[in-house]
Amino acid sequence: MKTKLFLILALALSIVLTGCDSDGGKGSKAGMIGSNAAEKVYVAPGEHDEFYAFLSGGFSGQVSVYGLPSGRLFKVIPVFSQDGEKGYGYNEETKPMLETSHGFVPWDDSHHPELSQTDGVPDGRFLFINGNNTPRIAKIDLRTFETTEIIEIPNSAGNHSSPFTTENSEYLVAGTRFSIPITETDVSVKEYAEKFQGMLTFVSVSPDEVGDMEIDFQILMPGFDYDLAHSGKGPSHGWTFFTTYNTEKASTMKEVNASQNDKDFIAAVNWKKAQEYIKAGKFHTMPSNYLNNEYSDHTHMATSKKMTSTRVLIPSECPGLVYYLPTPKSPHGVDVDPSGEYIVGNGKLSADLTVHSYSKMIKAIEAKAFEKEIDGIPVLKYDQVVAGVVEKPGLGPLHTEFDGKGFAYTTFFISSEVVKWKLGTWEIVDRIPSYYSVGHLMIPGGDSRKPWGKYLVSLNKITKDRYLPTGPELAHSAQLYDISGDKMELLLDFPTIGEPHYAQAIAADVIKDKSLKYYKLDDNKHPYAVKNEKDTRVERKGNEVHVYLTTIRSHFSPDWIEGVKLGDVVYFHLTNLEQDWDVPHGFAIKGANNAELLVMPGQTETLKWIPKSVGMFPMYCTDFCSALHQEMQGYVRVHPANANVKLSWGLGENETQGK
């Protein structure tokens, strides 16, 4: 009897499970994937993806570049962390990029890529990204896909609400996640409520092709935590909005103590008004030590510039500069729709999704509809600034982006889903599970005035059960959805570098034809560059030995060197003479305490080497460059420190002696 009952139950269960697999996808892993999903993400050999997607590397400190819809990884761009693959942060030219007021910092936590914009639309010039730990903003030139500038953000800690751009990239913003005692140093955490402060920083970007970054001004704020930001567009251009939590000013057990108030705030900053106050001299000059590091495509070298002060505005002295919009507790993302009218506050601990109105905000300001003031900052009345509420859309809303067709898409971390809802009516029109605790999401151009609106990428956390197991740590993941129709369709999972937080994407046609293929040798202004083999040489300057080295398929010049002695510091200055696309050359030597060099055509890079023993040390090309790549090698002979030998070097039958 028990056996028969067991068989009946097993049969019933199999029928239920079979039904779930064929019901169009409700709760079914297989059912979510349409029959033509593979076709939609397939990019045939030799064809190009429609979009470049730039994903933050989180704790890797880097940016990764993927193609959409294929999910293929094209490149990892080194930014805040050393990269042995490319020699970034190891060669002498790029070491200055990682200098800070704290010294050499070869790591950071990168969260939010942000494309430069013109008229509110991504223009393909630059990609910016924040360093969260040691506050910094980096600029990546999208002609070369290389980091060309890193500016440190002073008077800040936890540079999280960064580096979101204004409509024409006039500014990048940087808000401090961790309030700190800015005007004092040796302060007890028990004095948090009285002596800790926040800081909002506005970094200007020059409109030329270089895009130099400079800190224009900072705004001293109450000691809350400033989490994320987005700038206005269209009618709201000139304003930037920051989410802020911990309005309780808690200093410990924040998961409890910073969640007591029913509402926190969105800080609305009128940066055009700030410009007026700066011009009128209403700022304070604050001593501030920070570095601005820039890399030149002409010298192929980075330099660090030390800065010593910033201009600081205080809201109580600058009426109309900042207003607080009450928003449901513990907001994370703040997102502005393509029209510039709606400002979505994603309160993590709210059952509803609150949308604020820019036009109502302006009317409330004009009517002085204030609840109170905090340190001279007016708090607007909640019911005067709300446009509408999306009721009970899910649990744990984090981020919202837009498709340009009147719809918004929000991620829900706790209920693990993406929800589509309609602007203006606030009705939910679709939802789809993500199988992860989903964080940020990205629609190509989804934070701009003109989204492409074809795909959605979710950046996911807690990745159990989707990939082959790899020990305690599992791959982080992105998921690609088709949003071109009425219903969202999951197309693809693909693993990511580090922990992805946010991403940006742009149509490939905007960038690919501007891509730099190689550096022109004639434009190479590196002080140690040599542009032909007849000028290669080795020079001694005291205990420094400088090797002016060239490489071309398939040899170094020179390819042997003698006369180096223990106690010498050797600098190999390698110039790649190739003038053809995709022919880099590498360089490594036995015993070097750093990484290889990876030198692009027409470029010069330097490897510092201190030999530790007498002997013959092979050097070789690390990048497979030709059929005779294995033969691309040479030797450096190291003599005892007291040896009476001259430098000599050669290639083939040529031999030269120096001092």
PDB file of all heavy atoms in Angstrom, residues 27-59:
ATOM      1  N   GLY A  27       8.071  30.637 -13.297  1.00  0.00           N
ATOM      2  CA  GLY A  27       8.853  29.882 -12.335  1.00  0.00           C
ATOM      3  C   GLY A  27       9.766  28.853 -12.955  1.00  0.00           C
ATOM      4  O   GLY A  27      10.344  28.049 -12.265  1.00  0.00           O
ATOM      5  N   SER A  28       9.915  28.851 -14.247  1.00  0.00           N
ATOM      6  CA  SER A  28      10.716  27.832 -14.926  1.00  0.00           C
ATOM      7  C   SER A  28      11.980  28.437 -15.491  1.00  0.00           C
ATOM      8  O   SER A  28      11.939  29.436 -16.180  1.00  0.00           O
ATOM      9  CB  SER A  28       9.901  27.198 -16.049  1.00  0.00           C
ATOM     10  OG  SER A  28      10.745  26.517 -16.944  1.00  0.00           O
ATOM     11  N   LYS A  29      13.110  27.820 -15.192  1.00  0.00           N
ATOM     12  CA  LYS A  29      14.368  28.319 -15.744  1.00  0.00           C
ATOM     13  C   LYS A  29      14.371  28.210 -17.261  1.00  0.00           C
ATOM     14  O   LYS A  29      14.704  29.136 -17.977  1.00  0.00           O
ATOM     15  CB  LYS A  29      15.540  27.532 -15.157  1.00  0.00           C
ATOM     16  CG  LYS A  29      15.782  27.812 -13.685  1.00  0.00           C
ATOM     17  CD  LYS A  29      17.012  27.073 -13.207  1.00  0.00           C
ATOM     18  CE  LYS A  29      17.270  27.342 -11.732  1.00  0.00           C
ATOM     19  NZ  LYS A  29      18.469  26.674 -11.232  1.00  0.00           N
ATOM     20  N   ALA A  30      13.990  27.034 -17.754  1.00  0.00           N
ATOM     21  CA  ALA A  30      14.018  26.827 -19.194  1.00  0.00           C
ATOM     22  C   ALA A  30      12.964  27.664 -19.887  1.00  0.00           C
ATOM     23  O   ALA A  30      13.182  28.202 -20.966  1.00  0.00           O
ATOM     24  CB  ALA A  30      13.811  25.355 -19.507  1.00  0.00           C
ATOM     25  N   GLY A  31      11.793  27.797 -19.236  1.00  0.00           N
ATOM     26  CA  GLY A  31      10.681  28.481 -19.882  1.00  0.00           C
ATOM     27  C   GLY A  31      10.918  29.947 -20.106  1.00  0.00           C
ATOM     28  O   GLY A  31      10.269  30.565 -20.953  1.00  0.00           O
ATOM     29  N   MET A  32      11.847  30.554 -19.313  1.00  0.00           N
ATOM     30  CA  MET A  32      12.111  31.977 -19.482  1.00  0.00           C
ATOM     31  C   MET A  32      12.824  32.258 -20.793  1.00  0.00           C
ATOM     32  O   MET A  32      12.768  33.347 -21.321  1.00  0.00           O
ATOM     33  CB  MET A  32      12.973  32.497 -18.342  1.00  0.00           C
ATOM     34  CG  MET A  32      12.203  32.892 -17.113  1.00  0.00           C
ATOM     35  SD  MET A  32      13.305  33.697 -15.959  1.00  0.00           S
ATOM     36  CE  MET A  32      13.855  35.073 -16.926  1.00  0.00           C
ATOM     37  N   ILE A  33      13.545  31.274 -21.292  1.00  0.00           N
ATOM     38  CA  ILE A  33      14.342  31.465 -22.494  1.00  0.00           C
ATOM     39  C   ILE A  33      13.498  31.137 -23.712  1.00  0.00           C
ATOM     40  O   ILE A  33      13.016  30.022 -23.873  1.00  0.00           O
ATOM     41  CB  ILE A  33      15.591  30.555 -22.475  1.00  0.00           C
ATOM     42  CG1 ILE A  33      16.384  30.763 -21.186  1.00  0.00           C
ATOM     43  CG2 ILE A  33      16.457  30.820 -23.690  1.00  0.00           C
ATOM     44  CD1 ILE A  33      16.992  32.115 -21.042  1.00  0.00           C
ATOM     45  N   GLY A  34      13.325  32.132 -24.578  1.00  0.00           N
ATOM     46  CA  GLY A  34      12.563  31.896 -25.798  1.00  0.00           C
ATOM     47  C   GLY A  34      13.309  30.958 -26.734  1.00  0.00           C
ATOM     48  O   GLY A  34      14.528  30.792 -26.655  1.00  0.00           O
ATOM     49  N   SER A  35      12.602  30.348 -27.636  1.00  0.00           N
ATOM     50  CA  SER A  35      13.209  29.378 -28.543  1.00  0.00           C
ATOM     51  C   SER A  35      14.228  30.016 -29.471  1.00  0.00           C
ATOM     52  O   SER A  35      15.102  29.343 -29.998  1.00  0.00           O
ATOM     53  CB  SER A  35      12.108  28.692 -29.360  1.00  0.00           C
ATOM     54  OG  SER A  35      11.390  29.666 -30.124  1.00  0.00           O
ATOM     55  N   ASN A  36      14.121  31.319 -29.677  1.00  0.00           N
ATOM     56  CA  ASN A  36      15.071  31.989 -30.570  1.00  0.00           C
ATOM     57  C   ASN A  36      16.080  32.835 -29.806  1.00  0.00           C
ATOM     58  O   ASN A  36      16.700  33.729 -30.374  1.00  0.00           O
ATOM     59  CB  ASN A  36      14.320  32.860 -31.577  1.00  0.00           C
ATOM     60  CG  ASN A  36      13.551  33.987 -30.895  1.00  0.00           C
ATOM     61  OD1 ASN A  36      13.301  33.939 -29.685  1.00  0.00           O
ATOM     62  ND2 ASN A  36      13.181  34.998 -31.669  1.00  0.00           N
ATOM     63  N   ALA A  37      16.257  32.586 -28.503  1.00  0.00           N
ATOM     64  CA  ALA A  37      17.184  33.383 -27.703  1.00  0.00           C
ATOM     65  C   ALA A  37      18.610  33.280 -28.233  1.00  0.00           C
ATOM     66  O   ALA A  37      19.321  34.280 -28.341  1.00  0.00           O
ATOM     67  CB  ALA A  37      17.121  32.947 -26.238  1.00  0.00           C
ATOM     68  N   ALA A  38      19.034  32.054 -28.570  1.00  0.00           N
ATOM     69  CA  ALA A  38      20.398  31.874 -29.069  1.00  0.00           C
ATOM     70  C   ALA A  38      20.616  32.658 -30.360  1.00  0.00           C
ATOM     71  O   ALA A  38      21.680  33.245 -30.586  1.00  0.00           O
ATOM     72  CB  ALA A  38      20.676  30.389 -29.300  1.00  0.00           C
ATOM     73  N   GLU A  39      19.613  32.680 -31.189  1.00  0.00           N
ATOM     74  CA  GLU A  39      19.710  33.435 -32.440  1.00  0.00           C
ATOM     75  C   GLU A  39      19.865  34.929 -32.171  1.00  0.00           C
ATOM     76  O   GLU A  39      20.608  35.624 -32.862  1.00  0.00           O
ATOM     77  CB  GLU A  39      18.458  33.178 -33.278  1.00  0.00           C
ATOM     78  CG  GLU A  39      18.427  33.919 -34.614  1.00  0.00           C
ATOM     79  CD  GLU A  39      17.135  33.687 -35.368  1.00  0.00           C
ATOM     80  OE1 GLU A  39      16.409  32.738 -35.015  1.00  0.00           O
ATOM     81  OE2 GLU A  39      16.855  34.459 -36.297  1.00  0.00           O
ATOM     82  N   LYS A  40      19.191  35.414 -31.128  1.00  0.00           N
ATOM     83  CA  LYS A  40      19.222  36.849 -30.836  1.00  0.00           C
ATOM     84  C   LYS A  40      20.566  37.314 -30.302  1.00  0.00           C
ATOM     85  O   LYS A  40      20.912  38.489 -30.426  1.00  0.00           O
ATOM     86  CB  LYS A  40      18.116  37.200 -29.842  1.00  0.00           C
ATOM     87  CG  LYS A  40      16.715  37.155 -30.428  1.00  0.00           C
ATOM     88  CD  LYS A  40      15.681  37.633 -29.410  1.00  0.00           C
ATOM     89  CE  LYS A  40      14.294  37.683 -30.016  1.00  0.00           C
ATOM     90  NZ  LYS A  40      13.290  38.183 -29.032  1.00  0.00           N
ATOM     91  N   VAL A  41      21.314  36.431 -29.668  1.00  0.00           N
ATOM     92  CA  VAL A  41      22.616  36.837 -29.127  1.00  0.00           C
ATOM     93  C   VAL A  41      23.775  36.391 -30.008  1.00  0.00           C
ATOM     94  O   VAL A  41      24.930  36.737 -29.736  1.00  0.00           O
ATOM     95  CB  VAL A  41      22.822  36.294 -27.697  1.00  0.00           C
ATOM     96  CG1 VAL A  41      21.732  36.799 -26.773  1.00  0.00           C
ATOM     97  CG2 VAL A  41      22.888  34.770 -27.677  1.00  0.00           C
ATOM     98  N   TYR A  42      23.485  35.645 -31.066  1.00  0.00           N
ATOM     99  CA  TYR A  42      24.556  35.126 -31.911  1.00  0.00           C
ATOM    100  C   TYR A  42      25.112  36.224 -32.805  1.00  0.00           C
ATOM    101  O   TYR A  42      24.380  36.922 -33.510  1.00  0.00           O
ATOM    102  CB  TYR A  42      24.034  33.985 -32.779  1.00  0.00           C
ATOM    103  CG  TYR A  42      25.077  33.413 -33.709  1.00  0.00           C
ATOM    104  CD1 TYR A  42      26.159  32.693 -33.210  1.00  0.00           C
ATOM    105  CD2 TYR A  42      24.982  33.591 -35.091  1.00  0.00           C
ATOM    106  CE1 TYR A  42      27.113  32.162 -34.061  1.00  0.00           C
ATOM    107  CE2 TYR A  42      25.934  33.062 -35.947  1.00  0.00           C
ATOM    108  CZ  TYR A  42      27.001  32.348 -35.429  1.00  0.00           C
ATOM    109  OH  TYR A  42      27.952  31.833 -36.271  1.00  0.00           O
ATOM    110  N   VAL A  43      26.422  36.399 -32.743  1.00  0.00           N
ATOM    111  CA  VAL A  43      27.130  37.320 -33.628  1.00  0.00           C
ATOM    112  C   VAL A  43      28.098  36.465 -34.441  1.00  0.00           C
ATOM    113  O   VAL A  43      29.035  35.878 -33.888  1.00  0.00           O
ATOM    114  CB  VAL A  43      27.873  38.409 -32.836  1.00  0.00           C
ATOM    115  CG1 VAL A  43      28.639  39.327 -33.791  1.00  0.00           C
ATOM    116  CG2 VAL A  43      26.890  39.220 -31.996  1.00  0.00           C
ATOM    117  N   ALA A  44      27.864  36.370 -35.717  1.00  0.00           N
ATOM    118  CA  ALA A  44      28.633  35.469 -36.572  1.00  0.00           C
ATOM    119  C   ALA A  44      30.099  35.878 -36.623  1.00  0.00           C
ATOM    120  O   ALA A  44      30.435  37.064 -36.470  1.00  0.00           O
ATOM    121  CB  ALA A  44      28.039  35.478 -37.982  1.00  0.00           C
ATOM    122  N   PRO A  45      30.994  34.920 -36.822  1.00  0.00           N
ATOM    123  CA  PRO A  45      32.414  35.253 -36.955  1.00  0.00           C
ATOM    124  C   PRO A  45      32.638  36.337 -38.003  1.00  0.00           C
ATOM    125  O   PRO A  45      32.116  36.258 -39.116  1.00  0.00           O
ATOM    126  CB  PRO A  45      33.039  33.920 -37.385  1.00  0.00           C
ATOM    127  CG  PRO A  45      32.120  32.884 -36.834  1.00  0.00           C
ATOM    128  CD  PRO A  45      30.746  33.469 -36.918  1.00  0.00           C
ATOM    129  N   GLY A  46      33.392  37.365 -37.613  1.00  0.00           N
ATOM    130  CA  GLY A  46      33.669  38.483 -38.517  1.00  0.00           C
ATOM    131  C   GLY A  46      32.685  39.626 -38.414  1.00  0.00           C
ATOM    132  O   GLY A  46      32.950  40.714 -38.921  1.00  0.00           O
ATOM    133  N   GLU A  47      31.537  39.387 -37.765  1.00  0.00           N
ATOM    134  CA  GLU A  47      30.574  40.467 -37.576  1.00  0.00           C
ATOM    135  C   GLU A  47      30.773  41.117 -36.213  1.00  0.00           C
ATOM    136  O   GLU A  47      31.385  40.549 -35.313  1.00  0.00           O
ATOM    137  CB  GLU A  47      29.142  39.928 -37.704  1.00  0.00           C
ATOM    138  CG  GLU A  47      28.806  39.444 -39.112  1.00  0.00           C
ATOM    139  CD  GLU A  47      27.347  39.032 -39.253  1.00  0.00           C
ATOM    140  OE1 GLU A  47      26.588  39.178 -38.261  1.00  0.00           O
ATOM    141  OE2 GLU A  47      26.974  38.550 -40.334  1.00  0.00           O
ATOM    142  N   HIS A  48      30.238  42.338 -36.085  1.00  0.00           N
ATOM    143  CA  HIS A  48      30.437  43.107 -34.871  1.00  0.00           C
ATOM    144  C   HIS A  48      29.178  43.135 -34.019  1.00  0.00           C
ATOM    145  O   HIS A  48      28.064  43.083 -34.529  1.00  0.00           O
ATOM    146  CB  HIS A  48      30.842  44.547 -35.204  1.00  0.00           C
ATOM    147  CG  HIS A  48      32.190  44.676 -35.807  1.00  0.00           C
ATOM    148  ND1 HIS A  48      32.681  45.860 -36.310  1.00  0.00           N
ATOM    149  CD2 HIS A  48      33.180  43.764 -35.997  1.00  0.00           C
ATOM    150  CE1 HIS A  48      33.901  45.674 -36.784  1.00  0.00           C
ATOM    151  NE2 HIS A  48      34.219  44.407 -36.606  1.00  0.00           N
ATOM    152  N   ASP A  49      29.388  43.265 -32.709  1.00  0.00           N
ATOM    153  CA  ASP A  49      28.273  43.497 -31.796  1.00  0.00           C
ATOM    154  C   ASP A  49      27.679  44.879 -32.037  1.00  0.00           C
ATOM    155  O   ASP A  49      28.354  45.785 -32.542  1.00  0.00           O
ATOM    156  CB  ASP A  49      28.755  43.404 -30.353  1.00  0.00           C
ATOM    157  CG  ASP A  49      28.879  41.974 -29.876  1.00  0.00           C
ATOM    158  OD1 ASP A  49      27.868  41.432 -29.427  1.00  0.00           O
ATOM    159  OD2 ASP A  49      29.987  41.407 -29.955  1.00  0.00           O
ATOM    160  N   GLU A  50      26.429  45.040 -31.616  1.00  0.00           N
ATOM    161  CA  GLU A  50      25.755  46.329 -31.774  1.00  0.00           C
ATOM    162  C   GLU A  50      26.245  47.359 -30.767  1.00  0.00           C
ATOM    163  O   GLU A  50      26.241  48.560 -31.051  1.00  0.00           O
ATOM    164  CB  GLU A  50      24.244  46.151 -31.583  1.00  0.00           C
ATOM    165  CG  GLU A  50      23.547  45.316 -32.623  1.00  0.00           C
ATOM    166  CD  GLU A  50      22.086  45.143 -32.263  1.00  0.00           C
ATOM    167  OE1 GLU A  50      21.344  46.147 -32.324  1.00  0.00           O
ATOM    168  OE2 GLU A  50      21.681  44.023 -31.913  1.00  0.00           O
ATOM    169  N   PHE A  51      26.640  46.892 -29.568  1.00  0.00           N
ATOM    170  CA  PHE A  51      26.969  47.808 -28.483  1.00  0.00           C
ATOM    171  C   PHE A  51      28.278  47.421 -27.821  1.00  0.00           C
ATOM    172  O   PHE A  51      28.621  46.235 -27.725  1.00  0.00           O
ATOM    173  CB  PHE A  51      25.865  47.807 -27.415  1.00  0.00           C
ATOM    174  CG  PHE A  51      24.540  48.332 -27.891  1.00  0.00           C
ATOM    175  CD1 PHE A  51      23.568  47.452 -28.343  1.00  0.00           C
ATOM    176  CD2 PHE A  51      24.261  49.692 -27.893  1.00  0.00           C
ATOM    177  CE1 PHE A  51      22.340  47.919 -28.790  1.00  0.00           C
ATOM    178  CE2 PHE A  51      23.041  50.162 -28.335  1.00  0.00           C
ATOM    179  CZ  PHE A  51      22.079  49.281 -28.785  1.00  0.00           C
ATOM    180  N   TYR A  52      28.997  48.446 -27.350  1.00  0.00           N
ATOM    181  CA  TYR A  52      30.037  48.265 -26.353  1.00  0.00           C
ATOM    182  C   TYR A  52      29.377  48.428 -24.990  1.00  0.00           C
ATOM    183  O   TYR A  52      28.680  49.420 -24.746  1.00  0.00           O
ATOM    184  CB  TYR A  52      31.122  49.331 -26.463  1.00  0.00           C
ATOM    185  CG  TYR A  52      32.057  49.237 -27.640  1.00  0.00           C
ATOM    186  CD1 TYR A  52      31.912  50.082 -28.731  1.00  0.00           C
ATOM    187  CD2 TYR A  52      33.129  48.353 -27.634  1.00  0.00           C
ATOM    188  CE1 TYR A  52      32.797  50.039 -29.804  1.00  0.00           C
ATOM    189  CE2 TYR A  52      34.026  48.306 -28.701  1.00  0.00           C
ATOM    190  CZ  TYR A  52      33.854  49.151 -29.781  1.00  0.00           C
ATOM    191  OH  TYR A  52      34.734  49.102 -30.823  1.00  0.00           O
ATOM    192  N   ALA A  53      29.617  47.489 -24.083  1.00  0.00           N
ATOM    193  CA  ALA A  53      29.150  47.611 -22.706  1.00  0.00           C
ATOM    194  C   ALA A  53      30.363  47.701 -21.791  1.00  0.00           C
ATOM    195  O   ALA A  53      31.293  46.892 -21.896  1.00  0.00           O
ATOM    196  CB  ALA A  53      28.283  46.419 -22.317  1.00  0.00           C
ATOM    197  N   PHE A  54      30.361  48.691 -20.901  1.00  0.00           N
ATOM    198  CA  PHE A  54      31.465  48.923 -19.971  1.00  0.00           C
ATOM    199  C   PHE A  54      30.978  48.577 -18.572  1.00  0.00           C
ATOM    200  O   PHE A  54      30.099  49.246 -18.028  1.00  0.00           O
ATOM    201  CB  PHE A  54      31.926  50.374 -20.039  1.00  0.00           C
ATOM    202  CG  PHE A  54      32.368  50.805 -21.412  1.00  0.00           C
ATOM    203  CD1 PHE A  54      31.476  51.416 -22.281  1.00  0.00           C
ATOM    204  CD2 PHE A  54      33.670  50.598 -21.831  1.00  0.00           C
ATOM    205  CE1 PHE A  54      31.867  51.813 -23.549  1.00  0.00           C
ATOM    206  CE2 PHE A  54      34.075  50.993 -23.110  1.00  0.00           C
ATOM    207  CZ  PHE A  54      33.175  51.601 -23.967  1.00  0.00           C
ATOM    208  N   LEU A  55      31.538  47.520 -17.989  1.00  0.00           N
ATOM    209  CA  LEU A  55      31.118  47.050 -16.680  1.00  0.00           C
ATOM    210  C   LEU A  55      32.181  47.378 -15.643  1.00  0.00           C
ATOM    211  O   LEU A  55      33.382  47.176 -15.887  1.00  0.00           O
ATOM    212  CB  LEU A  55      30.873  45.537 -16.693  1.00  0.00           C
ATOM    213  CG  LEU A  55      29.514  45.040 -17.186  1.00  0.00           C
ATOM    214  CD1 LEU A  55      29.275  45.420 -18.651  1.00  0.00           C
ATOM    215  CD2 LEU A  55      29.391  43.536 -16.998  1.00  0.00           C
ATOM    216  N   SER A  56      31.739  47.874 -14.509  1.00  0.00           N
ATOM    217  CA  SER A  56      32.687  48.124 -13.425  1.00  0.00           C
ATOM    218  C   SER A  56      33.235  46.804 -12.918  1.00  0.00           C
ATOM    219  O   SER A  56      32.545  45.781 -12.925  1.00  0.00           O
ATOM    220  CB  SER A  56      32.004  48.875 -12.285  1.00  0.00           C
ATOM    221  OG  SER A  56      31.065  48.056 -11.623  1.00  0.00           O
ATOM    222  N   GLY A  57      34.474  46.849 -12.459  1.00  0.00           N
ATOM    223  CA  GLY A  57      35.101  45.641 -11.933  1.00  0.00           C
ATOM    224  C   GLY A  57      34.999  45.509 -10.438  1.00  0.00           C
ATOM    225  O   GLY A  57      35.550  44.568  -9.863  1.00  0.00           O
ATOM    226  N   GLY A  58      34.311  46.474  -9.768  1.00  0.00           N
ATOM    227  CA  GLY A  58      34.176  46.382  -8.319  1.00  0.00           C
ATOM    228  C   GLY A  58      35.523  46.259  -7.646  1.00  0.00           C
ATOM    229  O   GLY A  58      36.431  47.063  -7.879  1.00  0.00           O
ATOM    230  N   PHE A  59      35.685  45.212  -6.839  1.00  0.00           N
ATOM    231  CA  PHE A  59      36.908  45.083  -6.054  1.00  0.00           C
ATOM    232  C   PHE A  59      38.131  44.728  -6.891  1.00  0.00           C
ATOM    233  O   PHE A  59      39.233  44.651  -6.363  1.00  0.00           O
ATOM    234  CB  PHE A  59      36.731  44.076  -4.916  1.00  0.00           C
ATOM    235  CG  PHE A  59      36.033  42.805  -5.306  1.00  0.00           C
ATOM    236  CD1 PHE A  59      36.640  41.895  -6.153  1.00  0.00           C
ATOM    237  CD2 PHE A  59      34.773  42.512  -4.817  1.00  0.00           C
ATOM    238  CE1 PHE A  59      36.009  40.715  -6.515  1.00  0.00           C
ATOM    239  CE2 PHE A  59      34.127  41.329  -5.170  1.00  0.00           C
ATOM    240  CZ  PHE A  59      34.752  40.421  -6.018  1.00  0.00           C
TER     241      PHE A  59
END
